[in-house]
Amino acid sequence: MRNRRWLGLAVGAALVAGACTGGPGGTPAPSLQTEIGEGEGELNLVIWAGYAERGEVDPNFDWVTPFEEETGCKVNATAMTDSNNGVSLMQSGDYDGISASGDATTRLIAGGIVAPVNTALLSNYANVFEGLKNLPHNTVDGVNYGVPHGRGPNLLMYNTEVVTEEPTSWTPVWDGTYGGKVSVYDSSIYIADAALHLMTTKPDLGITNPYQLNEEQFNEAIALLEAQRDAGALYWGTYADQIASYTAGDVVIGTSWQFQVNLMQADNQPIAGVLPEEGSTGWSDTWMIAKNAKHPNCMYLWMNHMMSAEANGQATVWFGEAPTSPQACEYAESISPGHCELTHANDEAYYDKIWYWSTPQADCADADDATTCKDQDDWVEAWTTLRGA
Amino acid sequence: MVESRGARIALRIATVLVLGFLYLPILVLAIYAFNESRIQAWPPVGFTLRWFGEAASNPAVARAVTNSLVAGAFATLVALVLGTLAALAVQRYEFFGRQTISFFLVLPIALPGVVTGIALRTSFVTLGIDFGLLTIVIGHATFCVVIVYNNVIARLRRLPRSPEEASADLGADGFTTFRRITLPAMRTALLSGGLLAFALSFDEIIVTNFTAGAGTQTIPMWILTAIQRPNELPVVNVVALVLVVVSVVPVWLAQRITGGEAAGVTR
Amino acid sequence: MTAPPVATSDAAPVAAGLGRRLARRLHPRRRLQVAMLLAGPVGWLVIAYLGALFILLLNAFWEKDAFTGRVEPFAWSLNAFEDLIGNEVYRTITVRTLGMAVLVTATDALLAFPIAYYMARIASPRMRNLLVIAVLMPLWAAYLVKVYAWRTILQGNGLVEWVLSPFGISGPGLDELMNSWLVLSYLWLPYMILPIYAGLERIPTSLLEASADLGAGAATTFRRVILPLVFPALVAGSIFTFSLTLGDYITPDLVSDAKFIGNVIYDNSSLGNLPLAAAFSLLPMGIMTVYLLLARRLGAFESL
């Protein structure tokens, strides 16, 4: 017995020693890649569901197979449920790249999980709309950490047979009109949607940024969410989950993406999506490369591919988001006329009403030192408490 | 018979009801496997065989089946070796810590899989071990050991020592006695333990969700991702139905082998 | 160096000589034999399993950066534990999960007993074999698919709704905690049936006859003869129903939208708060260790 205990301690010590030397961040980071070499034959991606289609759902939408044939990089894509999940997956070191939203990008950069991108190596980068380049969520001190994929708002999705008049505001999602038949995104980032609603209903709270909330503003948002939960709202983590609950009639109204609206309408379901007058939260997605990626060449080839006219055009039409370049717009228009207008691809004024997902920070991400806000940990904990009770 | 007639009728009815309960969702999934619509509403809309065709021609399914078979085979092999060694030690020898060994062997299967899963995943990340078939096999083998162990030890308990003693008297050394007397006698336990371990590995999702990497999918992992894509749902039903039907063979085989002996640990 | 106990059947004379000499050397050294036998399994267990648990345990005491989510190795802190104790929701979730585990175990015991009794003592040998196969078969239908099938049965446009709507009752929908009770009881039922069946089979008929001869009715025989004899098997089965319910994170999420212990651990590990997940996993580990020790005392390990 004594022998075994000693053995256990020795093994534990060895493992702990291994922890110091191995793992992400342990080895020195590679400097900026200077050339794209041969593809390594495989590519592991963390994606938003629907970002890497290979024609299984609709044979007209396949931008993965042409990539695989051209580069020999076999694509393995894992869908993340929300940005927190995406960051965690990237921390495992098992993935080469991620299509990160703004609330993940800053954390990935600060955590040293992603490497800067040498955009000079990407021939398609020059085409990207200027308004999408060098934004704070993917560029730090002039160093570029990713290439844009697309952006869009979170929409109010509703069952047209039950909600007979098109809603003009988010209010029906919050005020209990539809009881428990509300579909809510199961992520801590949704607290911002509550805050957004408070910006119109309780302007005295003084919320200027739904992601940076002080104690009082935060508590009001949580109270709103608790009421919604107590009415019996259903929470969705995957788009399939949400689609199933709408189809089954378990929910009739809620927050969603154009993606689900498109899929359900293609299935002849009585569903529509609308952007209410108050605006909405939204996201702007960036392809990023992992710092110790096992297949960096394939990742660079993928990033270039996803900025090409066909790939970006198909992907953004499929998901229902805004393309990133005039060429992609042109292609998108050819398969879905009016797409660029509809998604306001080059309309920066439109996106002023959209609050991109960002990470809550203790310093409120502003110049004023005096202000303190609830940080990412507080948001996640509040969400856990909300969902667990 | 000790039981009254009334009791026997009541028990027969109870058995039928419980069996009905056990097979209700399987029946439902079988029906949906032939359902015309992708949407799984009740009642089903029409009859079609096209999902079977789609499942058969789906390369991801084929890869997942291969991975599951390979991972299961290796995990079972490791479990057979380690489980037999442990069972022999505990059953045939007296030593300090005997009780503790069997306690620790049960731990991987008794502690919730989610804990085993994140423990293994954290360790792999910390030690820089790449995710893939290796990590899957490590996870599966760890809780499959106890299944083989239980089967073998139960068998060893019932084995008379006299043939082994006779073998020793006739001049055979320890290894020969094991190889020619003990091992053949344990064969049924090894087979049933191995089959159960394989079954466990084949259907495992809770731990595999943590230990598989991006590039390797077993059947349960494929099902998990497919369930999240509404268009793949009918194919999932087909795959599950085929699994149930195909598995009649090994289950029936295991039952024949144990020949009425009480079934060991099944998970 | 360590010769495997199973030599090849067509070993050359030299190797056979080696084998015999090794066997002769080992024969008196019983402790060395045990050590060699146990080296593999114990080594594996300690390194692959206990080692992994140890690393997880370490993470529970390490600091996590609030912004990036990175765990700082050796930055000792009790933050995770403070969070767990300070926030009431974790107590709520624990009580909910424990309650569900007890409920599921009791339900499965009740459901399993009649069929196990029928299989063990009333069915003909052929029927018995068929029934064992019939009980084992659902275990081969993928866990996920069974849960999802239940989801389609319970959801708004599913079987239950279709059956109940002519009577004006609406189905449970997917927000019901009791959905989890139903599905979890369903999933682990075979794990309860088989040990109880094995336990009942071992009871000699003579005991039951003697009890009847002494004038005991069915209820008394059950209470005073059968139940005590089959109790270890019941406990053995309950290890699975209890443990599997304690750690499940997939079923509660798919059919009931509620959060259990398994969900807290899974969510925190997949959402980047590993120290919290690690700290919280000490709870089910502790509960099951105590449960196992109790079960061992009650003789359940013989019935596994």
Side-chain angles (χ1 to χ4, degrees), chain A residues 54 68 72 81 92 138 160-161 172 213-214 261 270 279 289 291 305 313 363 367:
Chain A
R54 47 170 84 243
E68 288 179 332
T81 51
S92 73
N138 57 24
T160 50
E161 282 174 1
L213 305 170
N214 64 28
V261 178
I289 181 169
K291 193 179 246 182
H305 174 71
D363 63 2

Side-chain angles (χ1 to χ4, degrees), chain C residues 34-50:
Chain C
V34 174
M36 277 170 53
L37 281 175
L38 286 179
V42 171
W44 178 283
L45 204 60
V46 169
I47 296 177
Y49 186 65
L50 294 176

Side-chain angles (χ1 to χ4, degrees), chain B residues 41 47 53 133 139 161 172 185-186:
Chain B
F47 184 90
L133 267 178
R161 303 295 294 263
M186 284 191 320

Side-chain angles (χ1 to χ4, degrees), chain B residues 131-147:
Chain B
F131 288 93
L133 267 178
L134 174 68
T135 51
I136 297 178
V137 170
I138 291 177
H140 288 190
T142 309
F143 49 69
C144 284
V145 171
V146 72
I147 297 184

Side-chain angles (χ1 to χ4, degrees), chain A residues 153-188:
Chain A
N154 293 321
L155 294 178
L156 191 153
M157 186 162 88
Y158 61 99
N159 185 324
T160 50
E161 282 174 1
V162 177
V163 185
T164 43
E165 259 188 58
E166 180 180 274
T168 52
S169 149
W170 284 106
T171 310
V173 170
W174 298 104
D175 66 2
T177 321
Y178 296 98
K181 295 194 178 228
V182 177
S183 180
V184 175
Y185 186 43
D186 194 358
S187 170
S188 58

